[in-house]
Amino acid sequence: MSEILISRTKINSRVKELAERISADFSASGAEKISIIWVANGAVMFAADLARNIKNLAVSMDCIKCSSYGEQTISSGRVQTSFSAQIPVRGEHVLFIDDIIDTGNTSKEMIGKIKKLRPKSLKTCFLLSKEARRSAKAIKPDYVGFEIPDLFVYGYGLDAKLIGRNLPDIRVM
Ligand code: IMP
Ligand code: MG
């Protein structure tokens, strides 16, 4: 297998840190409950681990699905979203979670759809960020686990040509 970029140990401790900060920030803004909207499939591990470490808030969770890659490693630029969150969004404090922000096209599209549902507040959280590749119109993420270089990575929910989501570490393809 290829080289490990971020080990499971580092992921675990960073996820706990993020969850603590998120819990504290939402609580400080007066929230008692939050609605988590996470992006399938890539954020499956991250969203599960992050949510498990959120304290002092009631949590609802639902996923939305999006794809622009298929079996490619370069974004097709066309983002297909299927959005049908079955949890409250209007007037709620919402946390959007995805595995990685790269160009930012995917999150921009999805955040636009969530905003139309009029949440009371909306914060965005990504495990990984490739800032060098960001498009000018991208959103500015509120929480990022790790800044990484322009490499294609997989593991811990992320796939490379549909394989590797189950791996506990993040590896370079
Ligand atoms: P963006 O729209 O360019 O920001 O791309 C975001 C989406 O592309 C993420 O939700 C991932 O699904 C996917 N993606 C971007 N970079 C990688 C990578 O290095 N490995 C796996 N998936 C990636
Ligand atoms: Mg994705």
Side-chain angles (χ1 to χ4, degrees):
M1 250 188 291
S2 53
E3 178 201 346
I4 292 179
L5 182 69
I6 309 171
S7 70
R8 64 194 81 182
T9 321
K10 281 195 181 148
I11 296 170
N12 288 346
S13 64
R14 185 67 181 133
V15 168
K16 283 189 182 131
E17 267 175 29
L18 282 175
E20 274 168 28
R21 256 187 56 209
I22 288 167
S23 305
D25 290 354
F26 274 95
S27 296
S29 73
E32 290 178 353
K33 58 183 171 110
I34 63 169
S35 292
I36 290 179
I37 297 177
W38 61 275
V39 182
N41 297 313
V44 57
M45 307 295 179
F46 179 45
D49 287 343
L50 191 75
R52 258 185 287 215
N53 284 287
I54 287 180
K55 305 273 155 62
N56 305 324
L57 295 166
V59 174
S60 301
M61 292 178 80
D62 202 354
C63 64
I64 53 179
K65 186 130 189 165
C66 181
S67 74
S68 63
Y69 278 69
E71 291 201 26
Q72 310 301 311
T73 58
I74 294 171
S75 175
S76 65
R78 281 175 296 119
V79 178
Q80 294 177 333
T81 312
S82 87
F83 189 105
S84 60
Q86 302 294 307
I87 54 171
V89 173
R90 193 186 185 94
E92 301 291 327
H93 296 279
V94 172
L95 177 66
F96 172 89
I97 300 179
D98 201 359
D99 53 358
I100 183 165
I101 177 166
D102 184 17
T103 63
N105 293 334
T106 312
S107 45
K108 187 169 186 294
E109 161 90 11
M110 299 193 144
I111 294 297
K113 292 195 176 181
I114 296 170
K115 279 188 175 160
K116 285 197 183 131
L117 300 174
R118 305 284 192 117
K120 183 165 186 180
S121 72
L122 176 59
K123 299 271 190 210
T124 61
C125 178
F126 300 86
L127 177 66
L128 306 173
S129 163
K130 296 183 199 168
E131 201 165 7
R133 292 192 17 101
R134 205 81 88 245
S135 94
K137 288 175 273 172
I139 60 141
K140 298 261 178 295
D142 295 301
Y143 305 97
V144 167
F146 302 92
E147 280 296 340
I148 62 165
D150 183 9
L151 299 167
F152 198 85
V153 296
Y154 67 100
Y156 194 66
L158 295 95
D159 72 310
K161 299 188 178 174
L162 307 179
I163 301 293
R165 294 195 198 274
N166 61 314
L167 300 172
D169 309 289
I170 293 174
R171 292 171 183 271
V172 180
M173 197 168 96

Short mmCIF file of all heavy atoms in Angstrom, two decimals, residues 81-116:
data_model
loop_
_atom_site.label_atom_id
_atom_site.label_comp_id
_atom_site.label_asym_id
_atom_site.label_seq_id
_atom_site.Cartn_x
_atom_site.Cartn_y
_atom_site.Cartn_z
N THR A 81 -26.08 16.89 -7.23
CA THR A 81 -26.48 16.83 -5.83
C THR A 81 -27.85 16.19 -5.73
O THR A 81 -28.74 16.53 -6.49
CB THR A 81 -26.61 18.24 -5.25
OG1 THR A 81 -25.46 18.98 -5.59
CG2 THR A 81 -26.76 18.21 -3.75
N SER A 82 -28.01 15.29 -4.78
CA SER A 82 -29.37 14.90 -4.46
C SER A 82 -29.60 15.31 -3.02
O SER A 82 -28.91 14.85 -2.12
CB SER A 82 -29.61 13.41 -4.68
OG SER A 82 -29.27 12.68 -3.55
N PHE A 83 -30.46 16.26 -2.84
CA PHE A 83 -30.66 16.86 -1.52
C PHE A 83 -32.06 16.56 -1.04
O PHE A 83 -33.04 16.98 -1.61
CB PHE A 83 -30.46 18.37 -1.61
CG PHE A 83 -30.43 19.01 -0.25
CD1 PHE A 83 -29.23 19.44 0.30
CD2 PHE A 83 -31.58 19.17 0.49
CE1 PHE A 83 -29.19 20.00 1.56
CE2 PHE A 83 -31.55 19.73 1.75
CZ PHE A 83 -30.35 20.15 2.28
N SER A 84 -32.15 15.82 0.05
CA SER A 84 -33.47 15.58 0.63
C SER A 84 -33.29 15.33 2.12
O SER A 84 -33.65 14.28 2.63
CB SER A 84 -34.15 14.38 -0.03
OG SER A 84 -33.35 13.24 0.16
N ALA A 85 -32.69 16.29 2.81
CA ALA A 85 -32.47 16.12 4.24
C ALA A 85 -33.80 15.95 4.96
O ALA A 85 -34.71 16.74 4.78
CB ALA A 85 -31.71 17.32 4.79
N GLN A 86 -33.88 14.93 5.78
CA GLN A 86 -35.11 14.63 6.52
C GLN A 86 -35.02 15.13 7.96
O GLN A 86 -35.71 14.64 8.83
CB GLN A 86 -35.37 13.11 6.53
CG GLN A 86 -35.50 12.50 5.14
CD GLN A 86 -36.73 13.02 4.40
OE1 GLN A 86 -37.83 12.96 4.91
NE2 GLN A 86 -36.52 13.54 3.20
N ILE A 87 -34.11 16.06 8.20
CA ILE A 87 -33.99 16.63 9.54
C ILE A 87 -34.32 18.11 9.44
O ILE A 87 -34.26 18.69 8.36
CB ILE A 87 -32.57 16.43 10.11
CG1 ILE A 87 -31.51 16.97 9.14
CG2 ILE A 87 -32.32 14.96 10.41
CD1 ILE A 87 -30.12 17.00 9.74
N PRO A 88 -34.69 18.75 10.59
CA PRO A 88 -35.04 20.16 10.51
C PRO A 88 -33.85 21.02 10.11
O PRO A 88 -32.73 20.80 10.59
CB PRO A 88 -35.51 20.48 11.93
CG PRO A 88 -35.06 19.36 12.78
CD PRO A 88 -34.86 18.18 11.92
N VAL A 89 -34.08 21.99 9.24
CA VAL A 89 -33.03 22.92 8.81
C VAL A 89 -33.49 24.37 9.04
O VAL A 89 -32.74 25.18 9.56
CB VAL A 89 -32.67 22.70 7.32
CG1 VAL A 89 -31.72 23.79 6.82
CG2 VAL A 89 -32.03 21.33 7.11
N ARG A 90 -34.73 24.65 8.68
CA ARG A 90 -35.24 26.01 8.83
C ARG A 90 -35.19 26.44 10.30
O ARG A 90 -35.72 25.76 11.18
CB ARG A 90 -36.68 26.07 8.33
CG ARG A 90 -37.16 27.48 8.16
CD ARG A 90 -38.63 27.51 7.78
NE ARG A 90 -39.02 28.88 7.52
CZ ARG A 90 -39.03 29.43 6.32
NH1 ARG A 90 -38.71 28.72 5.27
NH2 ARG A 90 -39.38 30.69 6.17
N GLY A 91 -34.52 27.56 10.56
CA GLY A 91 -34.44 28.09 11.92
C GLY A 91 -33.52 27.32 12.85
O GLY A 91 -33.47 27.59 14.04
N GLU A 92 -32.78 26.34 12.30
CA GLU A 92 -31.90 25.51 13.14
C GLU A 92 -30.44 25.93 12.99
O GLU A 92 -30.07 26.58 12.01
CB GLU A 92 -32.02 24.03 12.72
CG GLU A 92 -33.41 23.45 12.82
CD GLU A 92 -33.91 23.30 14.25
OE1 GLU A 92 -33.07 23.03 15.15
OE2 GLU A 92 -35.11 23.46 14.47
N HIS A 93 -29.64 25.51 13.97
CA HIS A 93 -28.19 25.67 13.86
C HIS A 93 -27.67 24.46 13.08
O HIS A 93 -27.86 23.31 13.52
CB HIS A 93 -27.55 25.72 15.24
CG HIS A 93 -27.98 26.92 16.04
ND1 HIS A 93 -27.43 28.16 15.87
CD2 HIS A 93 -28.94 27.05 16.99
CE1 HIS A 93 -28.00 29.03 16.71
NE2 HIS A 93 -28.94 28.37 17.40
N VAL A 94 -27.05 24.72 11.94
CA VAL A 94 -26.64 23.62 11.05
C VAL A 94 -25.12 23.54 10.97
O VAL A 94 -24.43 24.55 10.87
CB VAL A 94 -27.25 23.81 9.64
CG1 VAL A 94 -26.69 22.79 8.66
CG2 VAL A 94 -28.78 23.69 9.70
N LEU A 95 -24.63 22.31 11.02
CA LEU A 95 -23.21 22.05 10.78
C LEU A 95 -23.11 21.18 9.52
O LEU A 95 -23.65 20.08 9.47
CB LEU A 95 -22.58 21.32 11.97
CG LEU A 95 -21.12 20.91 11.80
CD1 LEU A 95 -20.20 22.14 11.71
CD2 LEU A 95 -20.66 20.00 12.94
N PHE A 96 -22.42 21.70 8.52
CA PHE A 96 -22.19 20.99 7.26
C PHE A 96 -20.83 20.30 7.34
O PHE A 96 -19.83 20.94 7.68
CB PHE A 96 -22.22 22.00 6.12
CG PHE A 96 -21.81 21.44 4.77
CD1 PHE A 96 -22.76 20.88 3.92
CD2 PHE A 96 -20.49 21.50 4.35
CE1 PHE A 96 -22.39 20.38 2.68
CE2 PHE A 96 -20.11 21.00 3.10
CZ PHE A 96 -21.06 20.44 2.26
N ILE A 97 -20.79 19.00 7.07
CA ILE A 97 -19.53 18.25 7.18
C ILE A 97 -19.20 17.55 5.86
O ILE A 97 -20.02 16.81 5.31
CB ILE A 97 -19.63 17.16 8.27
CG1 ILE A 97 -19.93 17.78 9.64
CG2 ILE A 97 -18.35 16.34 8.33
CD1 ILE A 97 -20.06 16.75 10.76
N ASP A 98 -17.98 17.78 5.36
CA ASP A 98 -17.51 17.00 4.21
C ASP A 98 -16.09 16.52 4.46
O ASP A 98 -15.42 17.01 5.37
CB ASP A 98 -17.62 17.81 2.92
CG ASP A 98 -17.66 16.91 1.68
OD1 ASP A 98 -17.58 15.67 1.81
OD2 ASP A 98 -17.76 17.45 0.56
N ASP A 99 -15.67 15.56 3.66
CA ASP A 99 -14.34 14.99 3.84
C ASP A 99 -13.23 15.96 3.46
O ASP A 99 -12.23 16.08 4.16
CB ASP A 99 -14.19 13.67 3.05
CG ASP A 99 -14.57 13.79 1.58
OD1 ASP A 99 -14.99 14.90 1.13
OD2 ASP A 99 -14.47 12.78 0.86
N ILE A 100 -13.43 16.67 2.34
CA ILE A 100 -12.32 17.49 1.83
C ILE A 100 -12.86 18.65 1.01
O ILE A 100 -13.84 18.49 0.29
CB ILE A 100 -11.34 16.61 1.01
CG1 ILE A 100 -10.13 17.41 0.51
CG2 ILE A 100 -12.02 15.92 -0.15
CD1 ILE A 100 -8.98 16.53 0.01
N ILE A 101 -12.24 19.80 1.17
CA ILE A 101 -12.53 20.92 0.28
C ILE A 101 -11.32 21.11 -0.63
O ILE A 101 -10.20 21.32 -0.17
CB ILE A 101 -12.96 22.21 1.02
CG1 ILE A 101 -13.19 23.35 0.02
CG2 ILE A 101 -11.99 22.60 2.13
CD1 ILE A 101 -13.94 24.56 0.58
N ASP A 102 -11.59 20.97 -1.92
CA ASP A 102 -10.53 21.00 -2.92
C ASP A 102 -10.72 22.30 -3.72
O ASP A 102 -10.34 23.37 -3.25
CB ASP A 102 -10.68 19.72 -3.75
CG ASP A 102 -9.60 19.53 -4.78
OD1 ASP A 102 -8.55 20.18 -4.69
OD2 ASP A 102 -9.79 18.72 -5.71
N THR A 103 -11.35 22.25 -4.88
CA THR A 103 -11.67 23.50 -5.59
C THR A 103 -12.72 24.30 -4.84
O THR A 103 -12.78 25.53 -4.94
CB THR A 103 -12.22 23.21 -7.00
OG1 THR A 103 -13.44 22.48 -6.86
CG2 THR A 103 -11.24 22.42 -7.83
N GLY A 104 -13.59 23.59 -4.12
CA GLY A 104 -14.68 24.24 -3.40
C GLY A 104 -15.98 24.25 -4.19
O GLY A 104 -17.00 24.74 -3.71
N ASN A 105 -15.97 23.69 -5.40
CA ASN A 105 -17.20 23.70 -6.22
C ASN A 105 -18.33 22.90 -5.58
O ASN A 105 -19.49 23.32 -5.60
CB ASN A 105 -16.91 23.11 -7.61
CG ASN A 105 -15.98 23.98 -8.42
OD1 ASN A 105 -15.92 25.19 -8.21
ND2 ASN A 105 -15.23 23.38 -9.33
N THR A 106 -17.99 21.75 -5.01
CA THR A 106 -19.02 20.89 -4.43
C THR A 106 -19.69 21.58 -3.25
O THR A 106 -20.92 21.67 -3.17
CB THR A 106 -18.39 19.57 -3.91
OG1 THR A 106 -17.56 19.04 -4.93
CG2 THR A 106 -19.45 18.57 -3.53
N SER A 107 -18.88 22.09 -2.34
CA SER A 107 -19.47 22.69 -1.13
C SER A 107 -20.24 23.96 -1.47
O SER A 107 -21.27 24.23 -0.87
CB SER A 107 -18.40 22.95 -0.08
OG SER A 107 -17.27 23.55 -0.64
N LYS A 108 -19.77 24.71 -2.45
CA LYS A 108 -20.48 25.93 -2.82
C LYS A 108 -21.90 25.61 -3.27
O LYS A 108 -22.87 26.23 -2.86
CB LYS A 108 -19.73 26.63 -3.96
CG LYS A 108 -20.29 27.99 -4.30
CD LYS A 108 -19.35 28.73 -5.24
CE LYS A 108 -19.82 30.15 -5.48
NZ LYS A 108 -21.08 30.20 -6.22
N GLU A 109 -22.00 24.59 -4.09
CA GLU A 109 -23.30 24.13 -4.61
C GLU A 109 -24.22 23.69 -3.45
O GLU A 109 -25.38 24.07 -3.35
CB GLU A 109 -23.02 22.97 -5.57
CG GLU A 109 -24.18 22.05 -5.88
CD GLU A 109 -24.98 22.51 -7.08
OE1 GLU A 109 -24.50 23.42 -7.80
OE2 GLU A 109 -26.08 21.96 -7.28
N MET A 110 -23.66 22.89 -2.56
CA MET A 110 -24.48 22.35 -1.47
C MET A 110 -24.84 23.40 -0.43
O MET A 110 -25.97 23.40 0.06
CB MET A 110 -23.72 21.22 -0.80
CG MET A 110 -23.44 20.12 -1.78
SD MET A 110 -22.89 18.69 -0.91
CE MET A 110 -23.65 17.45 -1.89
N ILE A 111 -23.90 24.26 -0.11
CA ILE A 111 -24.17 25.31 0.87
C ILE A 111 -25.28 26.22 0.35
O ILE A 111 -26.17 26.65 1.09
CB ILE A 111 -22.88 26.14 1.14
CG1 ILE A 111 -21.83 25.27 1.82
CG2 ILE A 111 -23.16 27.39 1.96
CD1 ILE A 111 -22.19 24.75 3.18
N GLY A 112 -25.25 26.49 -0.96
CA GLY A 112 -26.31 27.30 -1.58
C GLY A 112 -27.68 26.68 -1.35
O GLY A 112 -28.63 27.37 -0.98
N LYS A 113 -27.75 25.36 -1.52
CA LYS A 113 -29.03 24.67 -1.32
C LYS A 113 -29.48 24.71 0.14
O LYS A 113 -30.65 24.87 0.45
CB LYS A 113 -28.95 23.22 -1.80
CG LYS A 113 -28.79 23.16 -3.30
CD LYS A 113 -29.04 21.79 -3.88
CE LYS A 113 -28.93 21.92 -5.40
NZ LYS A 113 -29.18 20.71 -6.13
N ILE A 114 -28.53 24.55 1.05
CA ILE A 114 -28.88 24.56 2.48
C ILE A 114 -29.34 25.96 2.89
O ILE A 114 -30.32 26.11 3.62
CB ILE A 114 -27.67 24.09 3.34
CG1 ILE A 114 -27.35 22.64 3.02
CG2 ILE A 114 -27.98 24.26 4.82
CD1 ILE A 114 -26.04 22.13 3.61
N LYS A 115 -28.64 26.98 2.40
CA LYS A 115 -29.02 28.36 2.77
C LYS A 115 -30.44 28.70 2.35
O LYS A 115 -31.13 29.44 3.04
CB LYS A 115 -28.05 29.36 2.14
CG LYS A 115 -26.75 29.49 2.93
CD LYS A 115 -25.90 30.62 2.41
CE LYS A 115 -24.68 30.82 3.29
NZ LYS A 115 -23.62 31.55 2.59
N LYS A 116 -30.87 28.15 1.22
CA LYS A 116 -32.24 28.40 0.75
C LYS A 116 -33.28 27.89 1.74
O LYS A 116 -34.42 28.32 1.74
CB LYS A 116 -32.48 27.73 -0.61
CG LYS A 116 -31.82 28.48 -1.74
CD LYS A 116 -32.40 28.06 -3.08
CE LYS A 116 -31.65 28.77 -4.20
NZ LYS A 116 -31.23 27.85 -5.25
#
